[in-house]
């Protein structure tokens, strides 16, 4: 969740036209990062580190190339008065700045919004608002992100625009959940994320980047690491090696290996991700300082300090307070480790000089022997402490996994029970309806043979048959549901204020209110599906639900959640 990136940019503005001159200049001078050569992936970790060191040394080359492109675009923007051309150039400037300088990206997005408004293009206005929401979410300004996000009329968006809308929403609400300190708020945000991700999955092609991105993210969050690796492999096939999008995928793959406790592969993919970003002059990056943290834990303080120093320079250039907040603790830790390492080296040097100056060779040998033994003992003690700490973490994870497994087994048991009950009732009902249809056929056939057309007309004009069948359907539903959930009415009433509780006689049918929430307990939440089953309009179902929620003891948003938790 700490790596907010750019697919959304490429996907949202894929239909935007650019000036031919800008197109030629931008790509003629852009650094060649999207290479087909993947030889770097075959290198050892040490070779990757060496390549990363050289890339940091030469990092100003892609930065200077980007600054040249930005200078050309700014001059073109200043010299053009046509609104459409200025909008396209402002869009091009944002594309160059979005992962390079946060303040400048926001500035050109705001100008683009003003130009889109002047052009009276609602599609462009919505495009800018969505990008502003994404960029503000990227930099940690969630109030501003929500402000622009809520201004977008979802019902007026095309299919592609809705995919982008759901992607952005799931992204920054996911960050809100990840950084939340309150578990209830966290769960509420994750519920919103699930809704947006489900909406995206319902309309996005299964081989598209947003679908595979969110699938990988979800599988990894659920600790389904092998499935997450397969999804990320499909995602990788859609990307050009060396691009910023590839760096994002590599970061997520490193996160998968982190959960698998495979540190070597985690460091490998973090290094590959950092290489892609450095060569592309990307300042909004997370891979390098995550790699620096791992190297610091491994005792490679010199390289960790070098990588963290470069990362801090990039974060300062991008100017996102969220990135600074994330990197500060790690920077402090690495600085402390590096300082302690230098102090320790100085102490040993001073001690050695004093010993050489004051003692004989024999005494020096004894002291050296004692110091070495003490160092070995301290090292063994630290290793033992580290092992104990890791064991505690593994025990906690195992405990959490057992709890999740127990919960899943309980839900599976309930689902199997409901499935068996409803399959049996469904087969019985189907058999009854076949018999009824056959009897009806025989009756109609007899009247046709007897030419009793008036009787047939009376039979077909009356809706008594439909009414009777609906009543029988509801009766069957009530019987099966109350058999599965014998305490549903009492548990449901316990969620309502005493004066608004619903009482039914033993053996009586459920009321419409109870029937609506019985369907919700079975997982049918959409008002349209409930209305179809109960033969009501969706608006009526919505009004029923709203009226009952007003009578609830708990909050309106919490009420349906508790109804779905009523046990069998």
């Amino acid at each position: 969740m700490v790596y907010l990136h750019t697919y959304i940019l490429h996907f949202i503005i894929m239909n935007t036209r650019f000036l031919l001159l800008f197109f030629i200049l931008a790509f003629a001078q852009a650094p060649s990062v999207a290479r087909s050569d993947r030889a770097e992936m075959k290198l050892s970790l040490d070779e990757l580190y060496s390549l990363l060191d050289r890339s940091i040394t030469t990092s100003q080359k892609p930065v200077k190339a980007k600054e040249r492109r930005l200078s050309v675009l700014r001059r073109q923007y200043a010299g053009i008065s046509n609104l459409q051309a200025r909008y396209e150039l402002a869009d091009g400037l944002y594309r160059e700045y979005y992962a390079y300088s946060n303040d400048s990206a926001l500035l050109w997005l705001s100008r683009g919004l003003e130009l889109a408004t002047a052009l009276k293009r609602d599609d462009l206005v919505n495009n800018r608002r969505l990008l502003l929401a994404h960029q503000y979410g990227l930099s940690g300004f969630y109030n501003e992100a929500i402000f622009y996000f809520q201004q977008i009329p979802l019902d007026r968006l095309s299919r592609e625009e809705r995919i982008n809308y759901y992607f952005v929403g799931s992204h920054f609400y996911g960050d809100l959940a990840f950084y939340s300190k309150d578990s209830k708020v966290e769960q509420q945000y994750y519920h919103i994320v699930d809704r947006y991700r489900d909406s995206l999955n319902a309309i996005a092609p299964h081989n598209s980047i947003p679908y595979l991105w969110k699938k990988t993210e979800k599988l990894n969050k659920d600790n389904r690491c092998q499935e997450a690796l397969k999804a990320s492999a499909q995602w990788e096939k859609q990307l050009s090696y060396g691009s910023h999008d590839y760096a994002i995928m590599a970061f997520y793959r490193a996160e998968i290996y982190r959960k698998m406790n495979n540190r070597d592969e985690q460091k490998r993919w973090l290094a590959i991700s950092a290489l892609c970003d450095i060569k592309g002059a990307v300042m909004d990056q997370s891979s390098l300082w995550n790699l620096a943290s791992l190297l610091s834990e491994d005792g490679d303080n010199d390289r960790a300090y070098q990588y963290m120093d470069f990362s801090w320079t990039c974060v300062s250039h991008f100017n996102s307070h969220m990135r600074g907040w994330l990197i500060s603790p790690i920077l402090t830790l690495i600085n402390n480790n590096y300082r302690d390492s230098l102090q320790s080296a100085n102490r040993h040097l001073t001690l050695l000089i004093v010993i050489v100056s004051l003692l004989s060779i024999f005494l020096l040998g004894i002291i050296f022997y004692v110091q070495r033994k003490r160092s070995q003992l301290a090292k063994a003690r630290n290793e033992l402490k580290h092992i104990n700490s890791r064991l505690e973490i593994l025990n906690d994870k195992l405990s959490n996994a057992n709890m999740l497994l127990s919960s899943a087994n309980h839900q599976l048991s309930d689902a199997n029970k409901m499935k068996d009950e409803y399959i049996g009732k469904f087969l019985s009902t189907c058999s009854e309806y076949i018999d009824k249809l056959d009897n009806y056929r025989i009756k109609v056939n007899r009247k046709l043979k007897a030419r009793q057309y008036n009787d047939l007309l009376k039979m077909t004009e009356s809706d008594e048959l439909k009414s009777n069948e609906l009543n029988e359907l509801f009766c069957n539903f009530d019987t099966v549901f109350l058999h599965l959930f014998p305490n549903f009415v009492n548990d449901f009433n316990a969620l309502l204020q005493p004066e608004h509780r619903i009482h039914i006689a033993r053996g009586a049918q459920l009321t419409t209110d109870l029937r609506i929430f019985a369907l919700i307990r079975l997982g049918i939440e959409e008002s349209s599906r409930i209305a179809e089953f109960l033969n009501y309009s969706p608006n009526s179902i919505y009004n029923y639900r709203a009226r009952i929620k007003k009578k609830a003891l708990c909050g309106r948003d919490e009420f349906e959640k508790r109804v779905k938790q009523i046990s069998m």
Side-chain angles (χ1 to χ4, degrees):
M1 298 303 294
V2 299
Y3 209 136
L4 300 177
H5 283 292
T6 62
Y7 164 73
I8 188 62
L9 170 68
H10 300 302
F11 198 80
I12 291 175
I13 62 177
M14 61 188 298
N15 296 318
T16 305
R17 298 171 300 154
F18 291 96
L19 295 177
L20 180 59
L21 180 58
F22 155 67
F23 192 92
I24 295 172
L25 287 171
F27 286 90
Q29 300 180 42
S32 179
V33 295
R35 303 183 293 114
S36 60
D37 178 17
R38 303 193 176 202
E40 294 171 0
M41 298 178 63
K42 301 177 182 179
L43 299 177
S44 67
L45 265 179
D46 290 335
E47 291 171 329
L48 276 174
Y49 292 154
S50 298
L51 183 58
L52 197 51
D53 295 341
R54 291 196 296 272
S55 296
I56 290 174
T57 303
T58 60
S59 61
Q60 284 304 306
K61 290 183 179 179
V63 170
K64 289 178 180 178
K66 179 176 280 288
E67 288 292 346
R68 287 195 296 271
R69 294 196 302 276
L70 288 169
S71 179
V72 170
L73 288 173
R74 286 193 297 266
R75 287 198 300 270
Q76 289 177 349
Y77 182 88
I80 292 179
S81 59
N82 179 271
L83 290 179
Q84 180 65 35
R86 287 173 72 85
Y87 171 82
E88 291 171 352
L89 283 169
D91 181 71
L93 281 160
Y94 163 64
R95 293 210 310 155
E96 291 289 341
Y97 274 122
Y98 76 93
Y100 184 67
S101 174
N102 184 57
D103 292 341
S104 298
L106 290 171
L107 170 66
W108 289 106
L109 276 175
S110 298
R111 289 186 181 178
L113 180 58
E114 294 171 2
L115 291 167
T117 304
L119 288 168
K120 298 181 181 181
R121 289 279 303 275
D122 290 343
D123 56 333
L124 300 182
V125 169
N126 291 333
N127 177 277
R128 296 300 96 179
R129 287 172 176 168
L130 192 58
L131 286 175
L132 277 165
H134 174 67
Q135 194 71 27
Y136 274 121
L138 187 74
S139 51
F141 295 101
Y142 297 115
N143 287 333
E144 290 82 353
I146 293 173
F147 172 80
Y148 283 105
F149 189 75
Q150 291 179 342
Q151 288 185 352
I152 301 170
L154 180 59
D155 56 342
R156 298 180 187 176
L157 301 182
S158 66
R159 179 172 176 267
E160 278 186 357
E161 291 169 336
R162 289 201 310 274
I163 292 174
N164 302 329
Y165 178 88
Y166 294 137
F167 184 90
V168 170
S170 67
H171 223 69
F172 72 74
Y173 274 112
D175 290 339
L176 282 169
F178 184 82
Y179 297 120
S180 175
K181 300 298 183 184
D182 189 298
S183 60
K184 292 183 179 178
V185 175
E186 177 185 1
Q187 290 303 317
Q188 182 177 352
Y189 282 138
Y190 273 134
H191 181 66
I192 296 174
V193 171
D194 290 340
R195 286 203 333 246
Y196 281 128
R197 183 174 53 247
D198 292 343
S199 299
L200 185 149
N201 291 343
I203 61 175
H206 288 193
N207 63 342
S208 65
I209 293 176
Y211 178 88
L212 295 172
W213 182 335
K214 290 302 171 184
K215 181 179 180 181
T216 302
E217 185 178 83
K218 174 63 174 173
L219 291 171
N220 191 37
K221 180 177 178 293
D222 294 341
N223 293 317
R224 297 160 63 183
C225 297
Q226 293 299 332
E227 295 176 62
L229 283 176
K230 292 180 181 179
S232 73
Q234 293 178 298
W235 181 9
E236 181 183 7
K237 292 178 181 178
Q238 310 298 321
L239 305 173
S240 175
Y241 180 78
S243 66
H244 186 37
D245 286 342
Y246 195 92
I248 300 170
M249 183 283 301
F251 178 85
Y252 275 87
R253 186 167 295 179
E255 284 296 287
I256 298 171
Y257 282 116
R258 179 182 65 81
K259 286 203 171 184
M260 297 173 68
N261 293 319
N262 190 335
R263 286 176 68 89
D264 285 346
E265 284 301 311
Q266 181 187 359
K267 288 186 282 190
R268 169 183 295 279
W269 285 100
L270 286 174
I272 291 172
S273 177
L275 278 169
C276 294
D277 279 342
I278 293 171
K279 293 177 181 179
V282 172
M283 298 298 172
D284 180 28
Q285 52 176 271
S286 292
S287 299
L288 193 58
W289 55 266
N290 276 276
L291 179 58
S293 177
L294 293 176
L295 291 173
S296 179
E297 292 174 7
D298 293 341
D300 192 351
N301 291 320
D302 291 336
R303 179 168 272 132
Y305 185 85
Q306 176 192 358
Y307 289 176
M308 183 56 70
D309 183 66
F310 181 81
S311 294
W312 182 255
T313 302
C314 293
V315 167
S316 300
H317 187 281
F318 184 69
N319 195 24
S320 167
H321 78 280
M322 175 61 70
R323 287 287 181 266
W325 176 68
L326 291 171
I327 200 174
S328 291
I330 301 175
L331 178 61
T332 301
L333 178 62
I334 292 177
N335 276 331
N336 290 340
N337 289 342
Y338 192 73
R339 182 194 61 201
D340 292 344
S341 178
L342 289 176
Q343 290 177 350
S344 178
N346 289 333
R347 284 195 300 268
H348 282 99
L349 180 60
T350 302
L351 179 61
L352 182 60
I353 293 173
V354 171
I355 291 174
V356 169
S357 301
L358 300 177
L359 299 177
S360 65
I361 296 176
F362 175 76
L363 184 58
L364 177 62
I366 295 175
I367 293 176
F368 178 76
Y369 177 80
V370 171
Q371 286 294 109
R372 187 176 63 178
K373 288 299 182 182
R374 289 179 62 187
S375 176
Q376 290 175 352
L377 180 60
K379 183 178 179 181
R381 192 176 295 139
N382 289 334
E383 289 179 353
L384 181 60
K385 183 178 179 181
H386 182 65
I387 290 171
N388 288 335
S389 176
R390 291 183 61 187
L391 284 175
E392 289 178 1
I393 294 172
L394 290 174
N395 285 333
D396 290 341
K397 289 183 178 179
L398 182 59
S399 177
N400 292 335
N402 287 335
M403 291 175 62
L404 291 173
L405 183 59
S406 176
S407 175
N409 286 336
H410 180 71
Q411 293 176 1
L412 183 61
S413 176
D414 287 351
N416 286 335
K417 184 176 179 182
M418 285 191 287
K419 179 193 70 175
D420 294 342
E421 290 283 348
Y422 274 100
I423 287 176
K425 190 62 181 178
F426 172 76
L427 293 175
S428 175
T429 303
C430 287
S431 177
E432 292 176 3
Y433 273 105
I434 290 172
D435 292 340
K436 288 181 180 180
L437 284 173
D438 191 55
N439 291 335
Y440 193 77
R441 178 190 63 78
I442 294 172
K443 187 175 181 180
V444 169
N445 184 264
R446 288 175 178 172
K447 291 189 177 292
L448 285 172
K449 288 180 178 180
R451 300 181 181 274
Q452 297 175 351
Y453 301 126
N454 289 333
D455 291 346
L456 283 173
L457 183 61
K458 290 178 181 179
M459 286 172 59
T460 55
E461 282 180 343
S462 174
D463 61 353
E464 181 181 355
L465 178 63
K466 177 183 177 181
S467 177
N468 291 340
E469 294 302 326
L470 279 174
N471 288 334
E472 185 174 347
L473 174 64
F474 293 155
C475 182
N476 288 337
F477 172 79
D478 295 348
T479 301
V480 174
F481 183 81
L482 290 175
H483 178 66
L484 288 171
F485 298 89
N487 297 320
F488 177 80
V489 177
N490 292 335
D491 293 343
F492 183 81
N493 280 328
L495 301 175
L496 299 176
Q497 300 170 9
E499 63 272 18
H500 296 298
R501 290 175 179 171
I502 304 170
H503 300 284
I504 60 174
R506 181 180 295 274
Q509 289 186 313
L510 297 176
T511 64
T512 301
D513 291 331
L514 289 172
R515 213 169 274 140
I516 290 171
F517 285 92
L519 289 169
I520 291 174
R521 173 59 185 87
L522 293 176
I524 304 173
E525 300 181 44
E526 297 86 353
S527 294
S528 58
R529 294 183 61 193
I530 297 174
E532 183 179 354
F533 180 80
L534 298 180
N535 201 30
Y536 284 87
S537 69
N539 191 51
S540 298
I541 298 299
Y542 176 83
N543 292 333
Y544 271 108
R545 294 171 73 167
R547 187 189 66 203
I548 289 296
K549 285 191 281 189
K550 288 180 180 178
K551 302 173 183 178
L553 290 171
C554 56
R556 299 179 65 178
D557 295 335
E558 184 73 14
F559 178 71
E560 290 192 1
K561 180 179 177 182
R562 293 194 180 183
V563 169
K564 288 185 281 188
Q565 293 174 349
I566 292 176
S567 59
M568 299 179 67

